[in-house]
Amino acid sequence: MRGGALRHAVAGVLATVVFLGVADAAARFFAPAAAPLVALGSTVIEVTPPAVQDFAISTFGSANKTVLLIGMIVGGLLLAVVIGVVARRRLGLAAAVFTVVGAALATLVLRRPETDPVDVIPTFVGLAIGLTTLVLLSRRAGSGVVVEDDGEEGQPAPSRTARRAFLGLAGAATVIGAASLAFGRSVSIVGREIGGRAVRMVLPTPAVRAAAIPGGAAVDVDGVVPFLTPADDFYRIDTALVVPELLPEEWTLRITGMVEEEVEIDMAELLDLPMEERHITLACVSNPVGGELVGTATWLGHPVRRILERARPLPEADMVLSRSVDGFTASTPLKALTDDRGSLLAVGMNGEPLPREHGFPARLVVPGLYGFVSATKWVVELQVTRFDRETAYWTDRGWDAKAPILAASRIEVPDPLEEVPAGAVVVAGTAWAQQVGVARVEVRLDDGDWQEVELAEEVSIDTWRQWRHTFDDVAPGQHAVTVRAIDRAGTVQTAERTDPIPNAATGHHRITFTVADR
Ligand SMILES: Nc1nc2c(c(=O)[nH]1)N[C@H]1C(S)=C(S)[C@@H](COP(=O)(O)O)O[C@H]1N2
Ligand SMILES: [Mo]
């Protein structure tokens, strides 16, 4: 690119960065979705075809938001370059396109369920300052037709002072753009949440404590994931681009719909109720065979059934549509929330208040059901209803309305493609069959017979179980090991491979490894 065109492209990019940055920073004082980047990203997530969304979740797991954001940045930069280059000859047209894009973003902000009309203010403030930046920079970038370069007719190349003015202005725009992006919240989505408000909540002492995890629950093989998953390593699935910031004092839960009496409780009231602690393994329906979208935590909460009892659901009701502050919904059979499995309105995870990413200040945890039909984070409403009346977020995108967790097993040791020393080979991993319990786990080497493994102690039917097995004297060279679980109902995990959609992937986990020569 010749100097002029390059300067104009830079002008376009800087104007765009200033626009989005200033809007992002201003949005700090409004709802999160008031930031045009957040509104755009959320809209992209919403309109993405389920197959692509499913692919993104199973391929990138919890990093899928980062991939989306990088895609948006690349797309945005390309558009910015085009606007900048157009401004070189036709500043009016470029300014018009810039304004139209800004207005379109404002419309997306307005369309978000979490925004009010005032939330467009940041976008217009950003747009005004970005547009000013575009005009000022383009005027000083010159026509770029450097006479001595190509002899073409045109305006003269910018003078040295004009260039200096351009550089000065560009520098200022860079500083404004970078500083405001750093102050805004979109960038923090890429990393951990920076600048999130520090909120404190003191957890009550449990009325019912979970038994301590016995030593025998672990098989003691290096490389097997710990029985309790630390919150920082716990997988995360959010449809929202930005983790909602919900203060305990702002939180209320409403029980609505087919009930005899609508009920609303706030956090002070909830924390006064008797709390129960339970170890529960949560699993995502999008987890590929052998994948990592599963984890176990000690959850602290009040039984949901007690809260529903207060509202007295009508006999015709068979479903609870739980709603998050971010608009996400899940359909849970009423029975799963009222029977004695111990579904929780949870406020604590592993002895701490829920981390923001995992639903602070309150979420649902239902043993035996995949997260998308049960584990609503930042839950603010339980609408008692019927499966033939209401549908949930993922049901509208082609997934099943009801989804019990299927028995599954995973090999964690050895690593895929690892080279292990000659002789005996230790394989180990985890298996789960919530609400039913794991009865047996079997492995086989290459195409050999299924062999029963040694199972670690069971903590509860709702938690995963570690297992280990030793194959004696394995011949050097490449081998494969396959695992399957058998649950207490006698169901043997099927070998048939299916996609996660509509109700979880099936198939055996199989890895290959190499045994070194003696
Ligand atoms: N508000 C909200 N709650 C949600 C989701 C979501 O996207 N938004 N994802 C669900 C899904 S698909 C799963 S698997 C679990 C994951 O919980 P975690 O992110 O705490 O691991 O939360 C569920 N609750
Ligand atoms: Mo999920």
Side-chain angles (χ1 to χ4, degrees), residues 34-299:
L37 277 174
V38 172
L40 175 63
S42 308
T43 307
V44 170
I45 294 172
E46 197 178 278
V47 301
T48 301
V52 178
Q53 215 169 352
D54 175 33
F55 166 82
I57 292 174
S58 357
T59 315
F60 307 116
S62 300
N64 70 80
K65 295 291 166 345
T66 310
V67 174
L68 167 70
L69 216 74
I70 291 170
M72 276 166 49
I73 290 169
V74 171
L77 286 180
L78 285 177
L79 182 62
V81 165
V82 170
I83 290 178
V85 171
V86 167
R88 180 187 190 189
R89 295 274 152 87
R90 305 192 52 190
L91 184 53
L93 176 64
V97 172
F98 197 84
T99 308
V100 167
V101 171
L105 287 172
T107 314
L108 295 187
V109 169
L110 267 182
R111 278 196 54 256
R112 299 306 310 157
E114 342 52 306
T115 56
D116 292 325
V118 291
D119 291 317
V120 294
I121 293 173
T123 305
F124 284 113
V125 170
L127 179 59
I129 300 180
L131 200 58
T132 311
T133 310
L134 179 70
V135 172
L136 292 179
L137 276 174
S138 294
R139 290 225 176 106
R140 280 163 187 78
S143 74
V145 184
V146 182
V147 183
E148 60 273 20
D149 238 23
D150 51 17
E152 195 187 304
E153 282 291 298
Q155 290 164 270
S159 69
R160 203 160 278 169
T161 18
R163 273 193 199 185
R164 214 167 286 146
F166 176 83
L167 285 180
L169 214 65
T174 308
V175 170
I176 293 171
S180 54
L181 277 176
F183 180 66
R185 55 182 116 205
S186 303
V187 171
S188 70
I189 296 163
V190 177
R192 306 246 339 136
E193 325 297 320
I194 323 164
R197 263 185 286 181
V199 273
R200 302 212 180 287
M201 190 171 83
V202 179
L203 287 184
T205 317
V208 179
R209 274 196 189 279
I213 306 294
V219 288
D220 200 23
V221 174
D222 258 4
V224 171
V225 300
F227 185 86
L228 284 180
T229 315
D232 284 347
D233 299 337
F234 208 97
Y235 79 93
R236 245 179 86 187
I237 300 291
D238 309 319
T239 56
L241 185 59
V242 173
V243 177
E245 271 181 32
L246 189 55
L247 297 175
E249 57 268 31
E250 290 166 355
W251 180 89
T252 64
L253 178 75
R254 298 193 315 129
I255 324 297
T256 63
M258 300 170 67
V259 290
E260 283 187 35
E261 190 189 350
E262 296 209 343
V263 169
E264 181 164 355
I265 71 166
D266 63 21
M267 189 49 76
E269 237 180 300
L270 175 61
L271 295 179
D272 271 345
L273 296 172
M275 291 281 161
E276 296 183 10
E277 206 181 36
R278 281 170 205 282
H279 310 298
I280 299 167
T281 299
L282 201 66
C284 181
V285 70
S286 299
N287 198 28
V289 171
E292 285 166 5
L293 303 178
V294 55
T296 303
T298 306
W299 306 95

Side-chain angles (χ1 to χ4, degrees), residues 322-348:
S322 50
R323 188 170 278 112
S324 164
V325 72
D326 65 16
F328 172 91
T329 51
S331 56
T332 312
L334 178 59
K335 198 176 156 292
L337 298 176
T338 50
D339 63 17
D340 57 8
R341 76 182 68 196
S343 299
L344 295 176
L345 174 59
V347 292

Side-chain angles (χ1 to χ4, degrees), residues 286-326:
S286 299
N287 198 28
V289 171
E292 285 166 5
L293 303 178
V294 55
T296 303
T298 306
W299 306 95
L300 177 73
H302 184 66
V304 191
R305 89 172 166 275
R306 297 265 171 258
I307 294 168
L308 285 170
E309 265 165 19
R310 293 195 194 187
R312 283 170 284 136
L314 302 181
E316 312 88 85
D318 66 1
M319 186 256 264
V320 172
L321 190 73
S322 50
R323 188 170 278 112
S324 164
V325 72
D326 65 16

